[in-house]
Amino acid sequence: MFIDKTIVVGISGGIAAYKAAELVSRFKKLHAKVRVCMTKASCEFISPLTLQSLSQAPVASDMFATPSKWEIEHISLAKAADIMVIAPAPANIIGKLANGIADDIVTATVIATKAKVLIAPAMNINMYENKAVTQNIEKLKNMGYIIVEPAIGRLACGTYGKGRLADLDDIIEAVYENLLYEKDLAGKRVLITAGPTREKIDAVRFITNHSSGKMGYSLAREAKRRGAEVVLVSGKVSLAQIKGIETIYVDSAEQMYQQVMNHASNSDIIVKAAAVGDFKVKNVFSGKAKKDKIKNLELEKNPDILFELGKNKNYVLIGFCMETEDLELYASQKLKEKNPDFIIANDLTMDGAGFATDTNIVKILHQSGEIEDLPIMSKDDLAKEILNRAKILLK
Ligand code: C5P
């Protein structure tokens, strides 16, 4: 949510200008105050009236219009901005900004603002690959502008390639990261496990659990937004892959164990949010087993990943513990046996806690003996709390 934040959207002349309308609408739904400025050329592609209606504010499109009140429009927009987003940004505006030219309301506002500026290029592939454009984009990056790379796909000119305006989700995510997050985990490597494991019984059946992966994915997203390099080892979940994160999908606990061990020594923080199956089937049937054969399955123990990680730690290690009774007792036993720096414990029987919910109610048990009782909160907020505590323990 962008409550109390002002996003100034600068629209430049390109066919993707029509997408700026949706972008403005999305920012409004996320509770931002949105102000729009448009170049003359962009007004040929989309009407200022559309943007005025969606942003519920006047649109600035003329540097020389007689002001309705005494303020210089590009300066007041520049001051109001908590962040500026230039979408779409065709070759022309990129060239102007790279060279300090401010001859329309959008470039003048960008050059006058102290806020961060995000630029989302969109143009024909040949234009995008043109040396002048690539050099200008490099120059803008070096000057501190944030470039949201264009996407690959069908372009308005009928060709296929890189040059489409980035997905609006990616632009919004970039605004989130740059507006609401300090990069306090920059340079840190964070390894997270999420979701359930699956233990094969035969060619069609498996043993699993109800883990949705939501907690682990919230942690991965939060760590990435805070600038960390994130590796996510994920069981099968129905959540969308998070862009900008290396995601390794696994089925069984054994596969999760292998992947975690491959990455552990390179990690600064490891969070074991996955619900790992404790047992696997000893002799997996090759085809589909007949019913009477699976009546008495023989099981054997899976590796306990958290336990293995707790043996020789040169990282901050965090475990999870989900119970239906005697939460504190079992959590403190696991804290002792598996040796994470702290363990997040929740009681599955409480309303608002558990697997598939978007919220959780947890206790955090520390090696010092301290136990924190956290109020009900979203898994996204809990991810923040967990990483705040992990950060304090970083060497
Ligand atoms: O299943 P249990 O309650 O013991 O899980 C506690 C913690 O141990 C969790 O963080 C879980 O990811 C981890 N674990 C594991 N390997 C297992 C079982 C659990 O890493 N085989």
Side-chain angles (χ1 to χ4, degrees):
M1 295 288 175
F2 297 119
I3 297 160
D4 293 334
K5 300 289 179 193
T6 300
I7 303 175
V8 175
V9 178
I11 307 176
S12 198
I15 183 59
Y18 80 94
K19 294 183 183 169
E22 176 68 16
L23 186 63
V24 166
S25 163
R26 298 268 303 267
F27 285 146
K28 284 297 284 184
K29 283 181 194 146
L30 291 164
H31 302 281
K33 281 192 202 130
V34 184
R35 294 296 314 272
V36 177
C37 50
M38 299 176 71
T39 63
K40 281 256 150 27
S42 74
C43 299
E44 300 290 326
F45 289 94
I46 183 165
S47 156
L49 181 62
T50 306
L51 280 309
Q52 183 182 305
S53 310
L54 291 168
S55 66
Q56 296 167 319
V59 168
S61 58
D62 185 354
M63 282 254 275
F64 304 106
T66 313
S68 55
K69 48 186 176 192
W70 180 240
E71 56 176 17
I72 301 168
E73 200 135 40
H74 65 277
I75 302 294
S76 70
L77 280 181
K79 269 196 200 151
D82 289 303
I83 197 161
M84 267 198 86
V85 180
I86 311 304
N92 186 43
I93 196 166
I94 287 171
K96 284 200 224 175
L97 289 174
N99 291 286
I101 297 169
D103 64 350
D104 61 59
I105 188 88
V106 177
T107 48
T109 309
V110 171
I111 290 192
T113 194
K114 292 271 185 214
K116 285 188 186 171
V117 181
L118 240 105
I119 296 178
M123 66 197 82
N124 159 273
I125 182 160
N126 292 341
M127 293 173 86
Y128 184 67
E129 287 175 350
N130 178 284
K131 268 215 177 99
V133 175
T134 46
Q135 280 175 13
N136 284 335
I137 289 180
E138 265 325 290
K139 205 167 158 191
L140 287 173
K141 283 185 191 164
N142 292 333
M143 288 157 80
Y145 290 97
I146 300 139
I147 305 293
V148 188
E149 295 272 316
I152 298 170
R154 190 188 165 277
L155 304 174
C157 51
T159 50
Y160 183 90
K162 192 166 180 179
R164 281 166 68 90
L165 183 72
D167 278 356
L168 298 189
D169 283 341
D170 294 343
I171 298 175
I172 292 166
E173 178 62 23
V175 174
Y176 257 113
E177 273 185 27
N178 286 287
L179 184 58
L180 304 180
Y181 286 82
E182 251 185 82
K183 301 288 172 204
D184 61 344
L185 294 177
K188 301 295 173 200
R189 284 161 303 191
V190 178
L191 173 61
I192 290 164
T193 69
T197 54
R198 283 179 174 185
E199 301 304 337
K200 264 181 109 162
I201 297 172
D202 61 10
V204 289
R205 306 174 180 97
F206 53 82
I207 303 169
T208 190
N209 57 63
H210 288 296
S211 172
S212 63
K214 283 182 181 172
M215 189 66 240
Y217 276 60
S218 289
L219 280 156
R221 200 176 303 106
E222 173 73 13
K224 183 206 159 230
R225 285 175 173 174
R226 287 165 74 159
E229 205 181 294
V230 182
V231 176
L232 175 63
V233 181
S234 173
K236 286 268 162 34
V237 293
S238 55
L239 302 171
Q241 192 169 348
I242 304 168
K243 285 193 184 152
I245 284 182
E246 183 186 348
T247 306
I248 302 166
Y249 291 104
V250 295
D251 273 323
S252 65
E254 187 65 47
Q255 288 169 358
M256 184 172 278
Y257 172 72
Q258 294 301 340
Q259 290 298 340
V260 168
M261 290 305 157
N262 286 347
H263 290 87
S265 59
N266 278 329
S267 304
D268 299 295
I269 299 173
I270 305 181
V271 193
K272 284 284 304 114
V276 186
D278 293 307
F279 293 94
K280 63 180 170 198
V281 177
K282 194 163 181 193
N283 298 306
V284 176
F285 299 93
S286 54
K288 183 184 174 196
K290 288 291 154 208
K291 290 184 181 68
D292 60 326
K293 291 228 170 106
I294 56 169
K295 256 191 334 209
N296 298 307
L297 283 178
E298 201 180 335
L299 300 178
E300 64 183 345
K301 194 123 185 41
N302 267 326
D304 190 314
I305 310 169
L306 186 61
F307 177 79
E308 295 302 324
L309 291 169
K311 282 183 184 164
N312 280 311
K313 289 189 289 183
N314 61 346
Y315 34 71
V316 176
L317 181 62
I318 299 150
F320 273 77
C321 167
M322 181 180 271
E323 303 292 344
T324 52
E325 59 194 352
D326 293 327
L327 180 65
E328 252 181 63
L329 173 74
Y330 290 128
S332 57
Q333 278 172 3
K334 284 173 192 174
L335 182 69
K336 216 166 154 201
E337 281 163 21
K338 304 193 188 195
N339 197 32
D341 291 275
F342 56 90
I343 196 159
I344 318 294
N346 69 278
D347 183 339
L348 193 56
T349 63
M350 286 174 87
D351 274 347
F355 278 131
T357 55
D358 288 325
T359 57
N360 214 343
I361 309 164
V362 304
K363 288 176 189 285
I364 303 185
L365 287 80
H366 297 263
Q367 287 294 352
S368 62
E370 186 197 352
I371 300 179
E372 297 179 86
D373 262 298
L374 269 54
I376 184 166
M377 64 179 77
S378 69
K379 287 183 176 170
D380 285 349
D381 284 341
L382 180 56
K384 282 191 184 57
E385 296 292 337
I386 293 170
L387 291 175
N388 286 347
R389 285 160 180 77
K391 192 182 117 185
I392 295 170
L393 298 174
L394 282 169
K395 280 180 212 104

